[in-house]
Amino acid sequence: MSSFIAYLVSGIAIGCTYALVASGFVMIHRVTRVVNFAQGTFAVVGGMATASLLRHGLPHGLAEVVALASAAALGLLIGVVAIGKPGTPPLSSVIITLGLAIGAYAGEVMIFGDQPLSFTMAHGSTSFLGAHVDRQLFVIMGVTVVSYALLQLFFGRTYVGKALTACSSNPYAARLSGINPSRMGLLAFAIGGALGGLAGVLITPIQPVSFDSDSLLAVNGFAAAIFGGLMHPSTALLGALVLGVSESMIGGYVGASYEIEVALVLMLAIMVWRAARTPVMAEEVA
Amino acid sequence: MLQVDDLVVRYGSAVALDGVGLHVGRGEMVALVGPNGAGKSTLVNALSGVVRPAGGTIRIDGRLAHVPEGRQLFADLSVEDNLRLGAWRSRNRDPRRIYEVMPVLGEMRRKAAGSLSGGQQQMVAVGRALMADPDVIAIDELSLGLAPIVVADLARHLAQLNSERGMAILLIEQNARLAFDLCQRAYVIESGRIVAEGDSGELSRSPEVARAYLGGITGSDTETLLERTAE
């Protein structure tokens, strides 16, 4: 029973990091209709930058903030390249983000090296329902809950948040109202960068991150994001938790090497399910 | 207030507007009528900067707001949020000034815009444009898909805005009778060219215009839509 609890808590925490990556996917896709394949890169930059800055003597708090700002700045930069030129088709932008994600490997190796980096955030473990659970897992869950609450407040209460929703809902009307959808798209990329960076900052203490760790996080984050059709952060959170717990259980009871397969199979199943469902809905509307 | 000269808009090799000239004076209500595909929406999109002209000049003395064809609301947001976003470039984002003119919008301010009826949505679209405190407002297909009584109610609001606030209005309409009833002057556009212009009453009495846009009935033969709905 204690190992079940340990796997469950671990799965929820890992799912939370996928949810943060997924919310970045959703944020960018809602506003720009671009699937940003560089989303995993933000997590790598966030995690490796924090570890590197701590090694250079920066205190906790400052190192994390600088790392998040770096991930957000990288998001903005990728946004400028991917959607900065007016009229760039979303598919071209997707290919650009894929190219940039691969190209980023070189920069990450140059800046952070080619070895996995890690650091300690919350020390030790604690007893929870009879299981020994790493304290970092609770930090991950707490920060994710706060982040989602802040996102909810941002979209529900702020003028800029509503302008982002407006661009997602009707870019033409947003433009007529004087809102610049391209600038809003860049803002979405920056926020998506920060969310991905946050996932990296949180996961690096329990899973050392190297320059090529982006694909695992991106695949899992994308699988969670498509749970909500790349449009709904709350559904993406649910998808991420299902994914995280499934992987943790399979990793614990079957074998850790099957974790990525779980994500891929789940993603494929959701895509098939959605594809099968959409034409029926379209017929109903017609 | 609004002066357009020799405006040319092309979509690739197709010419959508070919040397269009148009003038709307301060506090004037002017109609632009024409069939589908004549270039009406292209013209208003060029006025609001959505479409880049290939030639000609557009001079706007003040602010222009554009109510697009098909309402184009932010369906997931509330009526109040839709209105507030209309003031993106303005410092005054308080929608109460719109509720004074259109009290019905105040009553449904918390409703999702996508859940409203067509007439209510059109009112939100007009209200959102008014939030920019425009000097001239271009309304693309006010009557499209709406019941005559709803159109008449909207028309009354526009006439009130025009007379009380001196707001210039450019009404782009397929419904020529409504446009001629509401506006003092009108332009007729066909295949990207202005083919007739002048006093609405005179245009509606013109046999060619009546045949093409008024079902063959000249303006002098019929009472106006506003008169009919007022009864």
Side-chain angles (χ1 to χ4, degrees), chain A residues 24-50:
Chain A
F25 270 115
V26 171
M27 167 76 74
I28 293 168
H29 182 262
R30 269 169 61 116
V31 181
T32 65
R33 299 292 185 270
V34 171
V35 177
N36 173 36
F37 280 111
Q39 196 60 32
T41 306
F42 304 144
V44 168
V45 167
M48 293 189 89
T50 306

PDB file of all heavy atoms in Angstrom, chain A residues 24-50:
ATOM      1  N   GLY A  24       1.694  25.698 -21.417  1.00  0.00           N
ATOM      2  CA  GLY A  24       2.463  26.532 -22.350  1.00  0.00           C
ATOM      3  C   GLY A  24       2.062  26.249 -23.793  1.00  0.00           C
ATOM      4  O   GLY A  24       1.863  27.171 -24.594  1.00  0.00           O
ATOM      5  N   PHE A  25       1.927  24.950 -24.114  1.00  0.00           N
ATOM      6  CA  PHE A  25       1.454  24.569 -25.455  1.00  0.00           C
ATOM      7  C   PHE A  25       0.099  25.235 -25.736  1.00  0.00           C
ATOM      8  O   PHE A  25      -0.120  25.811 -26.800  1.00  0.00           O
ATOM      9  CB  PHE A  25       1.247  23.045 -25.544  1.00  0.00           C
ATOM     10  CG  PHE A  25       2.451  22.253 -25.989  1.00  0.00           C
ATOM     11  CD1 PHE A  25       3.074  21.362 -25.145  1.00  0.00           C
ATOM     12  CD2 PHE A  25       2.943  22.386 -27.283  1.00  0.00           C
ATOM     13  CE1 PHE A  25       4.170  20.616 -25.547  1.00  0.00           C
ATOM     14  CE2 PHE A  25       4.038  21.641 -27.711  1.00  0.00           C
ATOM     15  CZ  PHE A  25       4.651  20.756 -26.830  1.00  0.00           C
ATOM     16  N   VAL A  26      -0.816  25.103 -24.757  1.00  0.00           N
ATOM     17  CA  VAL A  26      -2.172  25.610 -24.919  1.00  0.00           C
ATOM     18  C   VAL A  26      -2.158  27.140 -25.067  1.00  0.00           C
ATOM     19  O   VAL A  26      -2.814  27.697 -25.955  1.00  0.00           O
ATOM     20  CB  VAL A  26      -3.060  25.194 -23.716  1.00  0.00           C
ATOM     21  CG1 VAL A  26      -4.406  25.895 -23.766  1.00  0.00           C
ATOM     22  CG2 VAL A  26      -3.254  23.683 -23.705  1.00  0.00           C
ATOM     23  N   MET A  27      -1.399  27.786 -24.196  1.00  0.00           N
ATOM     24  CA  MET A  27      -1.323  29.256 -24.224  1.00  0.00           C
ATOM     25  C   MET A  27      -0.922  29.750 -25.616  1.00  0.00           C
ATOM     26  O   MET A  27      -1.555  30.626 -26.199  1.00  0.00           O
ATOM     27  CB  MET A  27      -0.285  29.698 -23.175  1.00  0.00           C
ATOM     28  CG  MET A  27       0.153  31.126 -23.265  1.00  0.00           C
ATOM     29  SD  MET A  27      -1.049  32.283 -22.633  1.00  0.00           S
ATOM     30  CE  MET A  27      -0.884  32.030 -20.895  1.00  0.00           C
ATOM     31  N   ILE A  28       0.133  29.153 -26.159  1.00  0.00           N
ATOM     32  CA  ILE A  28       0.655  29.601 -27.457  1.00  0.00           C
ATOM     33  C   ILE A  28      -0.308  29.220 -28.587  1.00  0.00           C
ATOM     34  O   ILE A  28      -0.599  30.032 -29.465  1.00  0.00           O
ATOM     35  CB  ILE A  28       2.069  29.026 -27.691  1.00  0.00           C
ATOM     36  CG1 ILE A  28       3.038  29.648 -26.686  1.00  0.00           C
ATOM     37  CG2 ILE A  28       2.542  29.255 -29.127  1.00  0.00           C
ATOM     38  CD1 ILE A  28       4.392  28.984 -26.607  1.00  0.00           C
ATOM     39  N   HIS A  29      -0.837  28.000 -28.518  1.00  0.00           N
ATOM     40  CA  HIS A  29      -1.719  27.549 -29.593  1.00  0.00           C
ATOM     41  C   HIS A  29      -3.022  28.339 -29.630  1.00  0.00           C
ATOM     42  O   HIS A  29      -3.529  28.685 -30.699  1.00  0.00           O
ATOM     43  CB  HIS A  29      -2.015  26.050 -29.440  1.00  0.00           C
ATOM     44  CG  HIS A  29      -2.882  25.520 -30.536  1.00  0.00           C
ATOM     45  ND1 HIS A  29      -4.241  25.365 -30.395  1.00  0.00           N
ATOM     46  CD2 HIS A  29      -2.594  25.139 -31.808  1.00  0.00           C
ATOM     47  CE1 HIS A  29      -4.744  24.903 -31.524  1.00  0.00           C
ATOM     48  NE2 HIS A  29      -3.774  24.755 -32.396  1.00  0.00           N
ATOM     49  N   ARG A  30      -3.566  28.656 -28.462  1.00  0.00           N
ATOM     50  CA  ARG A  30      -4.840  29.397 -28.427  1.00  0.00           C
ATOM     51  C   ARG A  30      -4.736  30.733 -29.140  1.00  0.00           C
ATOM     52  O   ARG A  30      -5.639  31.140 -29.858  1.00  0.00           O
ATOM     53  CB  ARG A  30      -5.234  29.672 -26.975  1.00  0.00           C
ATOM     54  CG  ARG A  30      -6.106  28.602 -26.350  1.00  0.00           C
ATOM     55  CD  ARG A  30      -6.217  28.806 -24.860  1.00  0.00           C
ATOM     56  NE  ARG A  30      -6.818  30.081 -24.522  1.00  0.00           N
ATOM     57  CZ  ARG A  30      -7.989  30.212 -23.887  1.00  0.00           C
ATOM     58  NH1 ARG A  30      -8.659  29.151 -23.546  1.00  0.00           N
ATOM     59  NH2 ARG A  30      -8.462  31.386 -23.585  1.00  0.00           N
ATOM     60  N   VAL A  31      -3.625  31.411 -28.932  1.00  0.00           N
ATOM     61  CA  VAL A  31      -3.498  32.764 -29.469  1.00  0.00           C
ATOM     62  C   VAL A  31      -2.966  32.767 -30.894  1.00  0.00           C
ATOM     63  O   VAL A  31      -3.371  33.595 -31.720  1.00  0.00           O
ATOM     64  CB  VAL A  31      -2.597  33.629 -28.548  1.00  0.00           C
ATOM     65  CG1 VAL A  31      -2.466  35.046 -29.074  1.00  0.00           C
ATOM     66  CG2 VAL A  31      -3.167  33.656 -27.133  1.00  0.00           C
ATOM     67  N   THR A  32      -2.050  31.828 -31.202  1.00  0.00           N
ATOM     68  CA  THR A  32      -1.372  31.890 -32.500  1.00  0.00           C
ATOM     69  C   THR A  32      -1.741  30.749 -33.450  1.00  0.00           C
ATOM     70  O   THR A  32      -1.371  30.808 -34.619  1.00  0.00           O
ATOM     71  CB  THR A  32       0.158  31.850 -32.308  1.00  0.00           C
ATOM     72  OG1 THR A  32       0.516  30.582 -31.761  1.00  0.00           O
ATOM     73  CG2 THR A  32       0.634  32.951 -31.363  1.00  0.00           C
ATOM     74  N   ARG A  33      -2.422  29.709 -32.930  1.00  0.00           N
ATOM     75  CA  ARG A  33      -2.724  28.485 -33.688  1.00  0.00           C
ATOM     76  C   ARG A  33      -1.449  27.748 -34.097  1.00  0.00           C
ATOM     77  O   ARG A  33      -1.443  26.969 -35.049  1.00  0.00           O
ATOM     78  CB  ARG A  33      -3.570  28.779 -34.945  1.00  0.00           C
ATOM     79  CG  ARG A  33      -4.908  29.391 -34.637  1.00  0.00           C
ATOM     80  CD  ARG A  33      -5.832  28.393 -33.924  1.00  0.00           C
ATOM     81  NE  ARG A  33      -7.174  28.912 -33.723  1.00  0.00           N
ATOM     82  CZ  ARG A  33      -7.584  29.592 -32.655  1.00  0.00           C
ATOM     83  NH1 ARG A  33      -6.738  29.862 -31.665  1.00  0.00           N
ATOM     84  NH2 ARG A  33      -8.824  30.022 -32.539  1.00  0.00           N
ATOM     85  N   VAL A  34      -0.367  28.015 -33.362  1.00  0.00           N
ATOM     86  CA  VAL A  34       0.900  27.348 -33.644  1.00  0.00           C
ATOM     87  C   VAL A  34       1.182  26.344 -32.531  1.00  0.00           C
ATOM     88  O   VAL A  34       1.079  26.676 -31.349  1.00  0.00           O
ATOM     89  CB  VAL A  34       2.053  28.377 -33.713  1.00  0.00           C
ATOM     90  CG1 VAL A  34       3.407  27.685 -33.792  1.00  0.00           C
ATOM     91  CG2 VAL A  34       1.871  29.292 -34.913  1.00  0.00           C
ATOM     92  N   VAL A  35       1.516  25.092 -32.923  1.00  0.00           N
ATOM     93  CA  VAL A  35       1.988  24.118 -31.939  1.00  0.00           C
ATOM     94  C   VAL A  35       3.488  24.343 -31.799  1.00  0.00           C
ATOM     95  O   VAL A  35       4.247  24.142 -32.744  1.00  0.00           O
ATOM     96  CB  VAL A  35       1.694  22.669 -32.406  1.00  0.00           C
ATOM     97  CG1 VAL A  35       2.257  21.674 -31.405  1.00  0.00           C
ATOM     98  CG2 VAL A  35       0.200  22.462 -32.585  1.00  0.00           C
ATOM     99  N   ASN A  36       3.896  24.791 -30.623  1.00  0.00           N
ATOM    100  CA  ASN A  36       5.289  25.165 -30.428  1.00  0.00           C
ATOM    101  C   ASN A  36       6.114  23.954 -29.989  1.00  0.00           C
ATOM    102  O   ASN A  36       6.104  23.580 -28.818  1.00  0.00           O
ATOM    103  CB  ASN A  36       5.368  26.278 -29.370  1.00  0.00           C
ATOM    104  CG  ASN A  36       6.793  26.581 -28.999  1.00  0.00           C
ATOM    105  OD1 ASN A  36       7.684  26.537 -29.845  1.00  0.00           O
ATOM    106  ND2 ASN A  36       7.019  26.874 -27.734  1.00  0.00           N
ATOM    107  N   PHE A  37       6.843  23.377 -30.939  1.00  0.00           N
ATOM    108  CA  PHE A  37       7.626  22.193 -30.613  1.00  0.00           C
ATOM    109  C   PHE A  37       8.883  22.526 -29.823  1.00  0.00           C
ATOM    110  O   PHE A  37       9.621  21.624 -29.438  1.00  0.00           O
ATOM    111  CB  PHE A  37       7.954  21.401 -31.887  1.00  0.00           C
ATOM    112  CG  PHE A  37       6.811  20.541 -32.334  1.00  0.00           C
ATOM    113  CD1 PHE A  37       6.109  20.810 -33.495  1.00  0.00           C
ATOM    114  CD2 PHE A  37       6.402  19.465 -31.550  1.00  0.00           C
ATOM    115  CE1 PHE A  37       5.040  20.025 -33.880  1.00  0.00           C
ATOM    116  CE2 PHE A  37       5.332  18.673 -31.931  1.00  0.00           C
ATOM    117  CZ  PHE A  37       4.644  18.948 -33.092  1.00  0.00           C
ATOM    118  N   ALA A  38       9.132  23.806 -29.583  1.00  0.00           N
ATOM    119  CA  ALA A  38      10.270  24.179 -28.736  1.00  0.00           C
ATOM    120  C   ALA A  38       9.853  24.267 -27.263  1.00  0.00           C
ATOM    121  O   ALA A  38      10.616  24.750 -26.440  1.00  0.00           O
ATOM    122  CB  ALA A  38      10.859  25.509 -29.206  1.00  0.00           C
ATOM    123  N   GLN A  39       8.634  23.799 -26.955  1.00  0.00           N
ATOM    124  CA  GLN A  39       8.131  23.934 -25.589  1.00  0.00           C
ATOM    125  C   GLN A  39       9.021  23.183 -24.580  1.00  0.00           C
ATOM    126  O   GLN A  39       9.232  23.660 -23.475  1.00  0.00           O
ATOM    127  CB  GLN A  39       6.688  23.411 -25.529  1.00  0.00           C
ATOM    128  CG  GLN A  39       5.907  23.829 -24.313  1.00  0.00           C
ATOM    129  CD  GLN A  39       5.762  25.335 -24.167  1.00  0.00           C
ATOM    130  OE1 GLN A  39       5.693  26.058 -25.137  1.00  0.00           O
ATOM    131  NE2 GLN A  39       5.762  25.796 -22.929  1.00  0.00           N
ATOM    132  N   GLY A  40       9.543  22.028 -24.967  1.00  0.00           N
ATOM    133  CA  GLY A  40      10.427  21.275 -24.073  1.00  0.00           C
ATOM    134  C   GLY A  40      11.745  21.999 -23.826  1.00  0.00           C
ATOM    135  O   GLY A  40      12.365  21.845 -22.766  1.00  0.00           O
ATOM    136  N   THR A  41      12.170  22.800 -24.804  1.00  0.00           N
ATOM    137  CA  THR A  41      13.427  23.543 -24.669  1.00  0.00           C
ATOM    138  C   THR A  41      13.358  24.510 -23.487  1.00  0.00           C
ATOM    139  O   THR A  41      14.348  24.711 -22.779  1.00  0.00           O
ATOM    140  CB  THR A  41      13.697  24.339 -25.976  1.00  0.00           C
ATOM    141  OG1 THR A  41      13.660  23.426 -27.067  1.00  0.00           O
ATOM    142  CG2 THR A  41      15.035  25.042 -25.942  1.00  0.00           C
ATOM    143  N   PHE A  42      12.182  25.105 -23.297  1.00  0.00           N
ATOM    144  CA  PHE A  42      12.036  26.062 -22.188  1.00  0.00           C
ATOM    145  C   PHE A  42      12.282  25.364 -20.844  1.00  0.00           C
ATOM    146  O   PHE A  42      12.896  25.938 -19.940  1.00  0.00           O
ATOM    147  CB  PHE A  42      10.637  26.688 -22.188  1.00  0.00           C
ATOM    148  CG  PHE A  42      10.263  27.368 -23.474  1.00  0.00           C
ATOM    149  CD1 PHE A  42       8.960  27.320 -23.958  1.00  0.00           C
ATOM    150  CD2 PHE A  42      11.205  28.066 -24.215  1.00  0.00           C
ATOM    151  CE1 PHE A  42       8.611  27.942 -25.136  1.00  0.00           C
ATOM    152  CE2 PHE A  42      10.869  28.684 -25.403  1.00  0.00           C
ATOM    153  CZ  PHE A  42       9.565  28.623 -25.870  1.00  0.00           C
ATOM    154  N   ALA A  43      11.769  24.125 -20.735  1.00  0.00           N
ATOM    155  CA  ALA A  43      11.955  23.379 -19.486  1.00  0.00           C
ATOM    156  C   ALA A  43      13.438  23.074 -19.267  1.00  0.00           C
ATOM    157  O   ALA A  43      13.959  23.206 -18.152  1.00  0.00           O
ATOM    158  CB  ALA A  43      11.141  22.094 -19.534  1.00  0.00           C
ATOM    159  N   VAL A  44      14.124  22.690 -20.347  1.00  0.00           N
ATOM    160  CA  VAL A  44      15.557  22.396 -20.242  1.00  0.00           C
ATOM    161  C   VAL A  44      16.315  23.652 -19.810  1.00  0.00           C
ATOM    162  O   VAL A  44      17.160  23.613 -18.903  1.00  0.00           O
ATOM    163  CB  VAL A  44      16.087  21.867 -21.600  1.00  0.00           C
ATOM    164  CG1 VAL A  44      17.606  21.825 -21.605  1.00  0.00           C
ATOM    165  CG2 VAL A  44      15.513  20.488 -21.881  1.00  0.00           C
ATOM    166  N   VAL A  45      15.991  24.782 -20.457  1.00  0.00           N
ATOM    167  CA  VAL A  45      16.680  26.039 -20.121  1.00  0.00           C
ATOM    168  C   VAL A  45      16.375  26.427 -18.664  1.00  0.00           C
ATOM    169  O   VAL A  45      17.276  26.804 -17.915  1.00  0.00           O
ATOM    170  CB  VAL A  45      16.260  27.165 -21.103  1.00  0.00           C
ATOM    171  CG1 VAL A  45      16.694  28.522 -20.599  1.00  0.00           C
ATOM    172  CG2 VAL A  45      16.856  26.892 -22.475  1.00  0.00           C
ATOM    173  N   GLY A  46      15.108  26.295 -18.268  1.00  0.00           N
ATOM    174  CA  GLY A  46      14.742  26.643 -16.893  1.00  0.00           C
ATOM    175  C   GLY A  46      15.502  25.810 -15.875  1.00  0.00           C
ATOM    176  O   GLY A  46      16.090  26.343 -14.930  1.00  0.00           O
ATOM    177  N   GLY A  47      15.522  24.486 -16.087  1.00  0.00           N
ATOM    178  CA  GLY A  47      16.187  23.585 -15.142  1.00  0.00           C
ATOM    179  C   GLY A  47      17.695  23.751 -15.149  1.00  0.00           C
ATOM    180  O   GLY A  47      18.321  23.879 -14.091  1.00  0.00           O
ATOM    181  N   MET A  48      18.288  23.754 -16.331  1.00  0.00           N
ATOM    182  CA  MET A  48      19.755  23.825 -16.419  1.00  0.00           C
ATOM    183  C   MET A  48      20.266  25.193 -15.991  1.00  0.00           C
ATOM    184  O   MET A  48      21.320  25.302 -15.363  1.00  0.00           O
ATOM    185  CB  MET A  48      20.225  23.494 -17.838  1.00  0.00           C
ATOM    186  CG  MET A  48      19.969  22.047 -18.229  1.00  0.00           C
ATOM    187  SD  MET A  48      20.741  21.569 -19.781  1.00  0.00           S
ATOM    188  CE  MET A  48      22.358  21.001 -19.241  1.00  0.00           C
ATOM    189  N   ALA A  49      19.520  26.248 -16.323  1.00  0.00           N
ATOM    190  CA  ALA A  49      19.958  27.596 -15.925  1.00  0.00           C
ATOM    191  C   ALA A  49      19.930  27.732 -14.402  1.00  0.00           C
ATOM    192  O   ALA A  49      20.865  28.279 -13.809  1.00  0.00           O
ATOM    193  CB  ALA A  49      19.061  28.657 -16.576  1.00  0.00           C
ATOM    194  N   THR A  50      18.893  27.195 -13.770  1.00  0.00           N
ATOM    195  CA  THR A  50      18.822  27.276 -12.308  1.00  0.00           C
ATOM    196  C   THR A  50      20.001  26.534 -11.682  1.00  0.00           C
ATOM    197  O   THR A  50      20.689  27.079 -10.794  1.00  0.00           O
ATOM    198  CB  THR A  50      17.497  26.664 -11.789  1.00  0.00           C
ATOM    199  OG1 THR A  50      16.414  27.289 -12.459  1.00  0.00           O
ATOM    200  CG2 THR A  50      17.337  26.861 -10.301  1.00  0.00           C
TER     201      THR A  50
END
